[in-house]
Amino acid sequence: MVRLGVYVLAAGAVATGIVDQVWRKFDPAEQPIQSFGNAVPAHTGVFASFVGFILIVGGLAIVRSRTVRLGAALLTVAYVIFAIFWAPRVVTGFEYLGWPGMFGAFGGIAQETIVIAALAILYVAAANGGRQSQRVPNVARWAFGLSTIVFGLAHLTNVGAIGGMVPGWMPLGGHVWAIVTGIAFILAGIAILSRILDVLAARLLTVMLIVFSLLALAPQLATFTHYQSAWGANVYNVTAIGAAWVLADWLASRRPTV
């Protein structure tokens, strides 16, 4: 497997841990522990710092061949915790915001799932064969593909909010790009699940996430420098880029050579 995607994934995870350590709390936009109740966030400083430490150690570990499995396991624990944080919003999101709220919550779970899927691939790739070497990556591929489709549905059911993130100078308007990217996510997910042009789909998904970072997220840091959510969104998207890159490299490695 090409290593660059692993380094990008590691950089995103380490940066996420640093952000949580600096603010000593979970990012309310990307790690919404407050969904369990308003009283919870006030007592999570130590917990957030601990998870941040796990992210930093795990991210550093996955770039070394001897510690890939340890790092992947540690990072999986952290991103499973973040996925759990989103779970209550599946109910409350639908209750208060309808379908957009529910799909937004599922999208939150999906954003953690794609990272977990990439980590599962890394974990098994570092093992010495066995039944897991076939079964786990295939499960990870399905988890990644389904999560990508959920991303697309979240975009299409919340065009207003997604479109608002598109820079004003972009032609056609934010709503159009929200719809286009939503469709692109769905098509990428279908390609990954069906194995039809799956490598190309994963590569293009990686490129789309890079463009999203450059055009929509990175500029926010200049305006909202002191906001954890601005940093959290940027470092998560770096992690997602790495996850998509890892998947693309793994899919390419399974293609027969002529």
Short mmCIF file of all heavy atoms in Angstrom, two decimals, residues 97-145:
data_model
loop_
_atom_site.label_atom_id
_atom_site.label_comp_id
_atom_site.label_asym_id
_atom_site.label_seq_id
_atom_site.Cartn_x
_atom_site.Cartn_y
_atom_site.Cartn_z
N LEU A 97 -35.88 18.62 13.93
CA LEU A 97 -35.56 19.13 12.60
C LEU A 97 -36.09 18.27 11.46
O LEU A 97 -35.91 18.61 10.30
CB LEU A 97 -34.03 19.28 12.45
CG LEU A 97 -33.35 20.24 13.44
CD1 LEU A 97 -31.84 20.17 13.27
CD2 LEU A 97 -33.85 21.66 13.24
N GLY A 98 -36.72 17.17 11.79
CA GLY A 98 -37.26 16.29 10.76
C GLY A 98 -36.17 15.48 10.07
O GLY A 98 -35.13 15.18 10.65
N TRP A 99 -36.43 15.14 8.82
CA TRP A 99 -35.50 14.30 8.08
C TRP A 99 -34.11 14.90 7.96
O TRP A 99 -33.11 14.17 8.09
CB TRP A 99 -36.07 13.99 6.68
CG TRP A 99 -37.26 13.09 6.72
CD1 TRP A 99 -38.55 13.43 6.51
CD2 TRP A 99 -37.27 11.68 7.02
NE1 TRP A 99 -39.38 12.35 6.65
CE2 TRP A 99 -38.61 11.25 6.95
CE3 TRP A 99 -36.28 10.76 7.33
CZ2 TRP A 99 -38.97 9.94 7.19
CZ3 TRP A 99 -36.63 9.44 7.56
CH2 TRP A 99 -37.97 9.05 7.48
N PRO A 100 -33.96 16.21 7.71
CA PRO A 100 -32.60 16.77 7.66
C PRO A 100 -31.82 16.55 8.95
O PRO A 100 -30.63 16.24 8.91
CB PRO A 100 -32.85 18.26 7.40
CG PRO A 100 -34.17 18.30 6.71
CD PRO A 100 -34.98 17.21 7.35
N GLY A 101 -32.51 16.69 10.09
CA GLY A 101 -31.83 16.48 11.36
C GLY A 101 -31.41 15.04 11.56
O GLY A 101 -30.31 14.75 12.04
N MET A 102 -32.27 14.11 11.17
CA MET A 102 -31.95 12.70 11.33
C MET A 102 -30.80 12.29 10.41
O MET A 102 -29.85 11.62 10.83
CB MET A 102 -33.17 11.83 11.04
CG MET A 102 -32.95 10.36 11.37
SD MET A 102 -34.35 9.31 10.91
CE MET A 102 -34.18 9.30 9.12
N PHE A 103 -30.87 12.72 9.14
CA PHE A 103 -29.79 12.38 8.22
C PHE A 103 -28.49 13.07 8.61
O PHE A 103 -27.40 12.54 8.39
CB PHE A 103 -30.18 12.73 6.78
CG PHE A 103 -30.99 11.68 6.10
CD1 PHE A 103 -32.33 11.89 5.80
CD2 PHE A 103 -30.42 10.45 5.78
CE1 PHE A 103 -33.08 10.91 5.17
CE2 PHE A 103 -31.17 9.46 5.16
CZ PHE A 103 -32.51 9.69 4.85
N GLY A 104 -28.61 14.28 9.20
CA GLY A 104 -27.41 14.94 9.70
C GLY A 104 -26.74 14.14 10.79
O GLY A 104 -25.51 14.01 10.84
N ALA A 105 -27.54 13.55 11.70
CA ALA A 105 -27.00 12.71 12.76
C ALA A 105 -26.39 11.44 12.21
O ALA A 105 -25.29 11.02 12.61
CB ALA A 105 -28.09 12.38 13.78
N PHE A 106 -27.08 10.80 11.27
CA PHE A 106 -26.51 9.61 10.63
C PHE A 106 -25.22 9.97 9.88
O PHE A 106 -24.28 9.18 9.83
CB PHE A 106 -27.52 8.99 9.66
CG PHE A 106 -28.48 8.04 10.33
CD1 PHE A 106 -29.85 8.24 10.23
CD2 PHE A 106 -28.02 6.95 11.05
CE1 PHE A 106 -30.75 7.37 10.84
CE2 PHE A 106 -28.91 6.08 11.67
CZ PHE A 106 -30.27 6.29 11.56
N GLY A 107 -25.21 11.17 9.30
CA GLY A 107 -23.99 11.62 8.63
C GLY A 107 -22.83 11.77 9.61
O GLY A 107 -21.68 11.48 9.27
N GLY A 108 -23.14 12.22 10.84
CA GLY A 108 -22.12 12.31 11.87
C GLY A 108 -21.55 10.95 12.23
O GLY A 108 -20.33 10.78 12.39
N ILE A 109 -22.44 9.97 12.37
CA ILE A 109 -21.98 8.60 12.65
C ILE A 109 -21.16 8.08 11.47
O ILE A 109 -20.11 7.44 11.65
CB ILE A 109 -23.18 7.68 12.92
CG1 ILE A 109 -23.90 8.13 14.20
CG2 ILE A 109 -22.73 6.23 13.04
CD1 ILE A 109 -25.20 7.38 14.46
N ALA A 110 -21.62 8.39 10.26
CA ALA A 110 -20.92 7.92 9.06
C ALA A 110 -19.52 8.52 8.95
O ALA A 110 -18.59 7.85 8.50
CB ALA A 110 -21.74 8.27 7.82
N GLN A 111 -19.36 9.78 9.37
CA GLN A 111 -18.05 10.41 9.24
C GLN A 111 -17.03 9.74 10.16
O GLN A 111 -15.84 9.69 9.83
CB GLN A 111 -18.13 11.91 9.53
CG GLN A 111 -18.28 12.29 10.99
CD GLN A 111 -18.33 13.80 11.19
OE1 GLN A 111 -18.82 14.54 10.34
NE2 GLN A 111 -17.79 14.26 12.28
N GLU A 112 -17.47 9.21 11.28
CA GLU A 112 -16.56 8.45 12.13
C GLU A 112 -16.35 7.04 11.57
O GLU A 112 -15.26 6.48 11.68
CB GLU A 112 -17.11 8.36 13.57
CG GLU A 112 -17.67 9.64 14.15
CD GLU A 112 -16.70 10.79 14.20
OE1 GLU A 112 -15.47 10.57 14.06
OE2 GLU A 112 -17.14 11.95 14.36
N THR A 113 -17.39 6.50 10.94
CA THR A 113 -17.32 5.13 10.43
C THR A 113 -16.30 4.98 9.32
O THR A 113 -15.61 3.97 9.23
CB THR A 113 -18.71 4.68 9.93
OG1 THR A 113 -19.64 4.76 11.02
CG2 THR A 113 -18.68 3.25 9.43
N ILE A 114 -16.18 6.00 8.44
CA ILE A 114 -15.22 5.86 7.35
C ILE A 114 -13.79 5.82 7.89
O ILE A 114 -12.93 5.14 7.33
CB ILE A 114 -15.38 6.96 6.29
CG1 ILE A 114 -15.00 8.33 6.83
CG2 ILE A 114 -16.78 6.97 5.71
CD1 ILE A 114 -14.85 9.38 5.75
N VAL A 115 -13.54 6.54 8.97
CA VAL A 115 -12.21 6.49 9.58
C VAL A 115 -11.98 5.12 10.20
O VAL A 115 -10.90 4.52 10.05
CB VAL A 115 -12.05 7.60 10.64
CG1 VAL A 115 -10.67 7.53 11.28
CG2 VAL A 115 -12.28 8.97 10.02
N ILE A 116 -12.99 4.60 10.90
CA ILE A 116 -12.88 3.27 11.51
C ILE A 116 -12.65 2.22 10.44
O ILE A 116 -11.85 1.29 10.63
CB ILE A 116 -14.15 2.96 12.34
CG1 ILE A 116 -14.27 3.94 13.52
CG2 ILE A 116 -14.14 1.52 12.83
CD1 ILE A 116 -15.62 3.89 14.21
N ALA A 117 -13.33 2.34 9.31
CA ALA A 117 -13.16 1.38 8.22
C ALA A 117 -11.73 1.40 7.70
O ALA A 117 -11.12 0.34 7.46
CB ALA A 117 -14.14 1.70 7.09
N ALA A 118 -11.16 2.59 7.51
CA ALA A 118 -9.78 2.68 7.05
C ALA A 118 -8.81 2.09 8.07
O ALA A 118 -7.83 1.43 7.71
CB ALA A 118 -9.42 4.14 6.77
N LEU A 119 -9.08 2.32 9.34
CA LEU A 119 -8.23 1.77 10.40
C LEU A 119 -8.30 0.25 10.42
O LEU A 119 -7.29 -0.43 10.67
CB LEU A 119 -8.64 2.34 11.76
CG LEU A 119 -8.38 3.84 11.95
CD1 LEU A 119 -9.07 4.34 13.21
CD2 LEU A 119 -6.89 4.12 12.00
N ALA A 120 -9.49 -0.30 10.16
CA ALA A 120 -9.62 -1.76 10.09
C ALA A 120 -8.78 -2.34 8.97
O ALA A 120 -8.14 -3.39 9.12
CB ALA A 120 -11.09 -2.14 9.92
N ILE A 121 -8.76 -1.65 7.84
CA ILE A 121 -7.94 -2.09 6.71
C ILE A 121 -6.46 -2.06 7.09
O ILE A 121 -5.70 -3.00 6.82
CB ILE A 121 -8.20 -1.21 5.49
CG1 ILE A 121 -9.62 -1.47 4.95
CG2 ILE A 121 -7.17 -1.45 4.39
CD1 ILE A 121 -10.06 -0.51 3.87
N LEU A 122 -6.02 -0.99 7.75
CA LEU A 122 -4.62 -0.90 8.18
C LEU A 122 -4.28 -2.00 9.17
O LEU A 122 -3.19 -2.60 9.10
CB LEU A 122 -4.36 0.47 8.81
CG LEU A 122 -4.36 1.68 7.88
CD1 LEU A 122 -4.08 2.94 8.68
CD2 LEU A 122 -3.33 1.51 6.79
N TYR A 123 -5.19 -2.25 10.10
CA TYR A 123 -4.94 -3.26 11.14
C TYR A 123 -4.73 -4.63 10.51
O TYR A 123 -3.78 -5.36 10.83
CB TYR A 123 -6.13 -3.30 12.10
CG TYR A 123 -5.93 -4.23 13.28
CD1 TYR A 123 -5.40 -3.75 14.47
CD2 TYR A 123 -6.28 -5.57 13.21
CE1 TYR A 123 -5.22 -4.59 15.55
CE2 TYR A 123 -6.11 -6.42 14.28
CZ TYR A 123 -5.57 -5.92 15.46
OH TYR A 123 -5.38 -6.76 16.53
N VAL A 124 -5.61 -4.99 9.59
CA VAL A 124 -5.53 -6.31 8.97
C VAL A 124 -4.34 -6.38 8.01
O VAL A 124 -3.68 -7.41 7.89
CB VAL A 124 -6.84 -6.65 8.25
CG1 VAL A 124 -6.71 -7.94 7.46
CG2 VAL A 124 -7.97 -6.77 9.27
N ALA A 125 -4.06 -5.28 7.30
CA ALA A 125 -2.94 -5.27 6.37
C ALA A 125 -1.62 -5.51 7.08
O ALA A 125 -0.67 -6.04 6.48
CB ALA A 125 -2.89 -3.94 5.61
N ALA A 126 -1.55 -5.12 8.35
CA ALA A 126 -0.32 -5.32 9.12
C ALA A 126 -0.22 -6.71 9.72
O ALA A 126 0.82 -7.09 10.26
CB ALA A 126 -0.23 -4.28 10.24
N ALA A 127 -1.31 -7.49 9.64
CA ALA A 127 -1.31 -8.85 10.18
C ALA A 127 -0.69 -9.81 9.17
O ALA A 127 -0.51 -9.49 8.00
CB ALA A 127 -2.74 -9.28 10.53
N ASN A 128 -0.41 -11.00 9.62
CA ASN A 128 0.21 -12.00 8.76
C ASN A 128 -0.83 -12.98 8.23
O ASN A 128 -0.90 -14.13 8.63
CB ASN A 128 1.29 -12.77 9.53
CG ASN A 128 2.43 -11.88 9.95
OD1 ASN A 128 2.86 -11.03 9.18
ND2 ASN A 128 2.92 -12.04 11.16
N GLY A 129 -1.68 -12.49 7.32
CA GLY A 129 -2.67 -13.37 6.68
C GLY A 129 -3.78 -13.77 7.62
O GLY A 129 -4.13 -13.06 8.57
N GLY A 130 -4.36 -14.96 7.38
CA GLY A 130 -5.47 -15.44 8.17
C GLY A 130 -6.81 -15.07 7.57
O GLY A 130 -6.89 -14.33 6.59
N ARG A 131 -7.87 -15.60 8.16
CA ARG A 131 -9.21 -15.33 7.62
C ARG A 131 -9.57 -13.86 7.69
O ARG A 131 -10.32 -13.35 6.86
CB ARG A 131 -10.24 -16.17 8.38
CG ARG A 131 -10.21 -17.65 8.06
CD ARG A 131 -11.30 -18.39 8.79
NE ARG A 131 -11.14 -18.28 10.25
CZ ARG A 131 -12.00 -18.79 11.13
NH1 ARG A 131 -13.09 -19.42 10.71
NH2 ARG A 131 -11.78 -18.66 12.43
N GLN A 132 -9.04 -13.16 8.70
CA GLN A 132 -9.36 -11.74 8.83
C GLN A 132 -8.89 -10.92 7.64
O GLN A 132 -9.47 -9.89 7.32
CB GLN A 132 -8.73 -11.18 10.10
CG GLN A 132 -9.40 -11.60 11.39
CD GLN A 132 -8.78 -10.91 12.59
OE1 GLN A 132 -7.63 -10.52 12.55
NE2 GLN A 132 -9.55 -10.77 13.65
N SER A 133 -7.81 -11.38 6.98
CA SER A 133 -7.24 -10.60 5.88
C SER A 133 -8.21 -10.46 4.72
O SER A 133 -8.05 -9.56 3.88
CB SER A 133 -5.95 -11.26 5.40
OG SER A 133 -6.21 -12.55 4.86
N GLN A 134 -9.22 -11.31 4.61
CA GLN A 134 -10.23 -11.20 3.56
C GLN A 134 -11.54 -10.63 4.11
O GLN A 134 -12.15 -9.76 3.49
CB GLN A 134 -10.49 -12.59 2.94
CG GLN A 134 -9.31 -13.14 2.17
CD GLN A 134 -8.98 -12.32 0.94
OE1 GLN A 134 -9.86 -11.72 0.33
NE2 GLN A 134 -7.71 -12.26 0.60
N ARG A 135 -11.95 -11.12 5.27
CA ARG A 135 -13.28 -10.77 5.76
C ARG A 135 -13.37 -9.34 6.27
O ARG A 135 -14.29 -8.60 5.90
CB ARG A 135 -13.67 -11.75 6.88
CG ARG A 135 -15.06 -11.53 7.44
CD ARG A 135 -15.39 -12.65 8.42
NE ARG A 135 -14.38 -12.75 9.47
CZ ARG A 135 -14.32 -13.77 10.33
NH1 ARG A 135 -15.18 -14.77 10.22
NH2 ARG A 135 -13.39 -13.79 11.26
N VAL A 136 -12.43 -8.93 7.11
CA VAL A 136 -12.51 -7.60 7.73
C VAL A 136 -12.42 -6.47 6.70
O VAL A 136 -13.24 -5.55 6.74
CB VAL A 136 -11.42 -7.45 8.82
CG1 VAL A 136 -11.39 -6.01 9.34
CG2 VAL A 136 -11.69 -8.42 9.97
N PRO A 137 -11.47 -6.51 5.76
CA PRO A 137 -11.45 -5.43 4.77
C PRO A 137 -12.72 -5.35 3.93
O PRO A 137 -13.14 -4.25 3.55
CB PRO A 137 -10.24 -5.78 3.90
CG PRO A 137 -9.36 -6.59 4.79
CD PRO A 137 -10.31 -7.40 5.62
N ASN A 138 -13.34 -6.48 3.63
CA ASN A 138 -14.59 -6.44 2.87
C ASN A 138 -15.71 -5.80 3.67
O ASN A 138 -16.52 -5.04 3.13
CB ASN A 138 -14.97 -7.85 2.43
CG ASN A 138 -14.14 -8.35 1.26
OD1 ASN A 138 -13.72 -7.56 0.43
ND2 ASN A 138 -13.89 -9.64 1.22
N VAL A 139 -15.76 -6.11 4.96
CA VAL A 139 -16.74 -5.44 5.83
C VAL A 139 -16.44 -3.94 5.88
O VAL A 139 -17.36 -3.11 5.84
CB VAL A 139 -16.71 -6.05 7.24
CG1 VAL A 139 -17.58 -5.23 8.20
CG2 VAL A 139 -17.18 -7.50 7.22
N ALA A 140 -15.15 -3.59 5.96
CA ALA A 140 -14.75 -2.18 5.99
C ALA A 140 -15.17 -1.48 4.70
O ALA A 140 -15.61 -0.33 4.72
CB ALA A 140 -13.25 -2.07 6.21
N ARG A 141 -15.03 -2.15 3.57
CA ARG A 141 -15.43 -1.57 2.29
C ARG A 141 -16.93 -1.27 2.29
O ARG A 141 -17.35 -0.20 1.84
CB ARG A 141 -15.07 -2.52 1.15
CG ARG A 141 -15.52 -2.04 -0.22
CD ARG A 141 -15.04 -2.98 -1.31
NE ARG A 141 -15.58 -4.32 -1.12
CZ ARG A 141 -16.79 -4.71 -1.50
NH1 ARG A 141 -17.60 -3.84 -2.09
NH2 ARG A 141 -17.21 -5.94 -1.32
N TRP A 142 -17.73 -2.20 2.78
CA TRP A 142 -19.17 -1.98 2.85
C TRP A 142 -19.51 -0.84 3.80
O TRP A 142 -20.37 0.00 3.51
CB TRP A 142 -19.88 -3.27 3.27
CG TRP A 142 -20.18 -4.15 2.10
CD1 TRP A 142 -19.37 -5.10 1.55
CD2 TRP A 142 -21.37 -4.12 1.31
NE1 TRP A 142 -19.97 -5.67 0.46
CE2 TRP A 142 -21.20 -5.11 0.29
CE3 TRP A 142 -22.55 -3.39 1.35
CZ2 TRP A 142 -22.19 -5.36 -0.67
CZ3 TRP A 142 -23.52 -3.65 0.40
CH2 TRP A 142 -23.34 -4.61 -0.60
N ALA A 143 -18.83 -0.80 4.94
CA ALA A 143 -19.08 0.28 5.90
C ALA A 143 -18.72 1.62 5.29
O ALA A 143 -19.46 2.61 5.45
CB ALA A 143 -18.26 0.04 7.18
N PHE A 144 -17.62 1.67 4.57
CA PHE A 144 -17.19 2.92 3.93
C PHE A 144 -18.17 3.32 2.84
O PHE A 144 -18.57 4.50 2.74
CB PHE A 144 -15.79 2.74 3.34
CG PHE A 144 -15.06 4.03 3.11
CD1 PHE A 144 -14.00 4.39 3.90
CD2 PHE A 144 -15.44 4.89 2.08
CE1 PHE A 144 -13.32 5.59 3.69
CE2 PHE A 144 -14.78 6.07 1.86
CZ PHE A 144 -13.71 6.43 2.67
N GLY A 145 -18.55 2.37 1.99
CA GLY A 145 -19.46 2.68 0.90
C GLY A 145 -20.82 3.16 1.38
O GLY A 145 -21.35 4.16 0.88
#
